[in-house]
Amino acid sequence: MDRKAQARAFRGLHDDGPLVLPNAWDPGSARAVEAAGAKAVATTSAGVSWAEGVADAGGLTRDAALAVLRRIAKVVSVPINADLESGYGATPAEVAATVTDVLAIGVVGINLEDSVQQVLAEPEFLAERIAAAREAAVAAGVDLVINARTDTHLFGDGTGTLERARLYAEAGADVLFVPGVVDAETIRELVAGSPLPLNVMTGAGAPTIAELAALGVARISVGPAISAGAYGLAAAAATELLATGTYQVLAAASDFAASNKLLR
């Protein structure tokens, strides 16, 4: 499937009930997600950052992020959504250049967020970046899905979320991503008030996929939860091995043959 066809297919996935995206961070995890039956692969900037040996929210460089996307694109056949944080650029023009590059890799969906190093920015900051990304996609002839992430709940009290949603929609966003919200009443209010379909970030203890679907959520992702779990498994297995000389934690790990088969 060519890039333009994948872009159309990815957009269509948002219309068929909630699109569920188990987030990946490298080629191996991306193949595992695809093999599990995911209809698309979305990256997590936190997981990518950790795999590159840096902290999330400012540690990952543009070049490193693009290099990971290139490697992922080589091993999966489903559409790819790239977490671009705030766009890896000081200006909207630089963000447009980043988007042009990820489109050339084969990416058909992106996340752009309105915080920088975990500080919420003014809404115009992201609106200008969304507009620049949309212009880059139009120039490339790709129907890019832009997921506008607002961190009003993650790094604030939620004030202004719907106002930002309207501004981001006018700038060219397709989906509103509000991490940090898992309670049903707030989700219901966001679904009712947002001009864009809602994406929430879920995980252990949050409502189930079926419950979120009943609330009207269009897109569900888990952010860094799977990658954090993988690193947690590594730490727990190493601790057990060094402290007791046993291997019980490793019972939860994939075996060599299964992991190797994914990348054949």
Side-chain angles (χ1 to χ4, degrees):
M1 188 183 302
D2 65 27
R3 181 182 57 176
K4 292 182 180 181
Q6 276 209 334
R8 291 192 296 272
F10 185 55
R11 182 174 293 279
L13 291 174
H14 293 77
D15 301 326
D16 299 332
L19 171 59
V20 181
L21 296 168
N23 299 80
W25 62 95
D26 66 4
S29 61
R31 274 292 297 124
V33 166
E34 181 182 32
K39 296 179 180 178
V41 168
T43 62
T44 159
S45 66
V48 173
S49 298
W50 299 336
E52 292 295 306
V54 296
D56 186 34
L60 190 65
T61 66
R62 176 185 183 279
D63 287 348
L66 294 181
V68 172
L69 289 170
R70 289 188 187 96
R71 294 197 296 273
I72 289 174
K74 289 180 179 178
V75 301
V76 300
S77 58
V78 295
I80 299 170
N81 184 93
D83 183 350
L84 298 183
E85 299 186 81
S86 58
Y88 303 118
T91 67
E94 292 176 346
V95 173
T98 297
V99 171
T100 298
D101 285 346
V102 300
L103 291 173
I105 290 169
V107 168
V108 295
I110 61 169
N111 285 15
L112 288 173
E113 61 196 47
D114 59 9
S115 61
V116 179
Q117 296 184 350
Q118 300 183 335
V119 176
L120 187 65
E122 293 299 317
E124 292 76 15
F125 169 85
L126 182 55
E128 292 173 353
R129 288 162 183 256
I130 291 169
R134 178 59 64 204
E135 289 177 7
V138 170
V142 178
D143 187 17
L144 178 70
V145 174
I146 301 177
N147 193 25
R149 168 177 150 174
T150 181
D151 287 339
T152 50
H153 283 268
L154 201 60
F155 302 129
D157 61 5
T159 300
T161 300
L162 292 176
E163 289 77 9
R164 287 179 184 247
R166 287 187 280 272
L167 183 62
Y168 299 161
E170 291 170 1
D174 300 291
V175 183
L176 178 69
F177 181 22
V178 188
V181 172
V182 292
D183 66 284
E185 187 55 38
T186 301
I187 290 172
R188 189 177 290 111
E189 291 173 0
L190 290 172
V191 168
S194 173
L196 297 170
L198 183 66
N199 176 187
V200 299
M201 183 170 70
T202 187
T208 66
I209 299 298
E211 290 168 340
L212 292 171
L215 290 169
V217 173
R219 177 163 157 168
I220 301 163
S221 48
V222 296
I226 298 175
S227 51
Y231 286 111
L233 174 63
T239 298
E240 180 189 9
L241 179 65
L242 295 170
T244 68
T246 56
Y247 325 102
Q248 295 304 311
V249 171
L250 289 175
S254 174
D255 63 34
F256 174 85
S259 296
N260 203 45
K261 185 179 179 181
L262 288 173
L263 296 169
R264 285 194 182 280

